[in-house]
Amino acid sequence: MRAANSRLHGLSLVELIVVIAILGVMIGLLLPAVHAARSSVRRVECQNKMRQIGLAIHAYHGLFDQFPPSKWGIEDSKDPRLKHNILAFLLPFLERQTIYERLDFGVHWFDNEATKVHLPLFHCPEAPRTARYGNNEYFAADYAVAERMNRTTGKIKPLFDDGIVAERSSLMGMLQPPTIVEYNPVTMTSKIVPWTTTATSVSDGLSTTMMFFECAARPFRYIKGRMYVDTLDSSLTRPVSGADWASNCAAFYMQESCGSGGTQLFNCTNNNEIYSFHPNGANFVFGDATVRFLSEEIHPDAFISLFTAFAGDMVKTP
């Protein structure tokens, strides 16, 4: 009996190794699933924050009969006071009335102490968050307006030149500053004209036009998932402009592409381009305040059709 009982106690070394190996395999199988689940939750949290911004934009329209400008700053004005970002105008509609009341719109945003506050509502939970870049503190936002596509320069130019995407009468996005530069290709001249966007003026349709975008992790520079700080190329070590939620430089023009054949139009770099940390895509606020996740593999012509607001190139969204 004593001999029989002794065999019931404990595990042999071989048995212990087998158990540890099985547990290791199980953990290895579970970790990706846990990571994917957490990433999915963070993506939904990001969508909820962007949806609040979309609803605030519509609340602004309901009060003023026009959508808010992408920024405030007259193109030909040298007055430094006229420099503010759309997010500052939306604060009363985002339950941030106290901050809004402290803002002085007759003073440059950088000289407003009320802008020196971190607002988690403007942070995507999937994006890395570091407030300081060198000796400077940034009060960053991961969401911004893309005003238009730059057809003449940058990496998207060959897509038009090679016929991969169709030429359009307009490459303007939905939200614009109060004045825009209007270029006449026949006379090769430009002029500054006033601009407002209303729900009825978006000829491509609100539900098929992008309105607000992710541009995450500024002021740190990311290119295809890699952060560039310590590098011999000095152009890559400078902070990305427009990082602060109140900065008039937060809005940007799209001009970069990457991927096979240069057909990927976002998640290439966050240097004033559409960029997210969600796997394989990004969230977009559309003109009807809905938020949709689009794959970064979307065909560039379809993407541009969804981006433009006044080109007559409506497409159905996924």
Side-chain angles (χ1 to χ4, degrees):
M1 289 294 294
R2 284 195 299 270
N5 288 335
S6 65
R7 289 194 296 270
L8 297 178
H9 295 291
L11 296 173
S12 68
L13 180 60
V14 174
E15 291 171 328
L16 184 60
I17 292 174
V18 170
V19 171
I20 293 174
I22 293 173
L23 289 174
V25 171
M26 292 178 64
I27 293 173
L29 292 174
L30 286 173
L31 281 178
V34 171
H35 178 75
R38 289 179 175 175
S39 180
S40 178
V41 169
R42 289 192 292 265
R43 190 178 82 182
V44 171
E45 290 178 8
C46 182
Q47 289 176 331
N48 289 337
K49 292 183 177 184
M50 296 183 76
R51 186 174 293 108
Q52 290 183 60
I53 293 174
L55 293 173
I57 291 172
H58 274 267
Y60 183 102
H61 188 287
L63 185 62
F64 297 107
D65 294 323
Q66 66 181 53
F67 288 113
S70 58
K71 61 190 175 191
W72 187 259
I74 308 302
E75 292 288 350
D76 61 344
S77 174
K78 305 301 181 182
D79 190 339
R81 295 175 300 173
L82 302 176
K83 304 294 182 182
H84 299 279
N85 184 33
I86 182 175
L87 292 177
F89 311 141
L90 297 180
L91 290 174
F93 308 99
L94 293 168
E95 299 182 353
R96 302 297 187 275
Q97 181 71 31
T98 303
I99 299 174
Y100 180 79
E101 290 175 351
R102 291 170 50 210
L103 287 175
D104 182 354
F105 286 95
V107 178
H108 190 281
W109 72 268
F110 191 77
D111 296 323
N112 272 266
E113 284 302 315
T115 66
K116 307 300 190 295
V117 58
H118 296 286
L119 295 177
L121 175 61
F122 300 149
H123 299 161
C124 176
E126 188 79 0
R129 178 63 42 216
T130 304
R132 302 199 69 85
Y133 191 109
N135 295 324
N136 297 318
E137 184 175 11
Y138 288 82
F139 303 88
D142 293 323
Y143 312 121
V145 174
E147 294 175 340
R148 65 176 66 195
M149 290 194 170
N150 192 336
R151 163 70 175 87
T152 57
T153 62
K155 294 182 180 179
I156 68 168
K157 184 177 183 297
L159 298 178
F160 290 91
D161 294 342
D162 298 340
I164 298 174
V165 299
E167 296 286 357
R168 288 162 170 79
S169 59
S170 170
L171 290 174
M172 292 171 56
M174 181 173 156
L175 301 179
Q176 297 293 319
T179 62
I180 63 171
V181 177
E182 190 176 79
Y183 179 73
N184 187 325
V186 177
T187 62
M188 293 187 292
T189 59
S190 60
K191 62 179 180 179
I192 295 171
V193 297
W195 186 272
T196 58
T197 302
T198 66
T200 56
S201 70
V202 182
S203 56
D204 289 0
L206 294 176
S207 64
T208 50
T209 300
M210 297 169 175
M211 181 169 66
F212 229 83
F213 307 83
E214 292 190 75
C215 183
R218 291 190 286 183
F220 289 87
R221 187 182 303 263
Y222 281 83
I223 301 176
K224 294 295 291 181
R226 178 185 172 187
M227 184 173 72
Y228 284 79
V229 176
D230 185 13
T231 172
L232 296 177
D233 187 345
S234 61
S235 66
L236 296 178
T237 59
R238 293 193 295 269
V240 177
S241 63
D244 294 272
W245 62 263
S247 173
N248 64 294
C249 296
F252 56 88
Y253 283 15
M254 287 186 63
Q255 60 181 9
E256 293 297 316
S257 67
C258 59
S260 177
T263 58
Q264 182 178 322
L265 296 184
F266 59 94
N267 286 357
C268 302
T269 174
N270 73 334
N271 183 20
N272 292 292
E273 298 283 337
I274 300 170
Y275 194 88
S276 87
F277 288 82
H278 309 297
N280 307 315
N283 293 318
F284 296 84
V285 183
F286 280 75
D288 58 357
T290 59
V291 181
R292 295 162 229 179
F293 181 83
L294 298 182
S295 169
E296 60 193 29
E297 296 180 358
I298 184 174
H299 192 280
D301 194 68
F303 179 87
I304 293 173
S305 293
L306 293 172
F307 177 86
T308 57
F310 316 102
D313 53 2
M314 293 180 290
V315 298
K316 292 183 178 180
T317 55

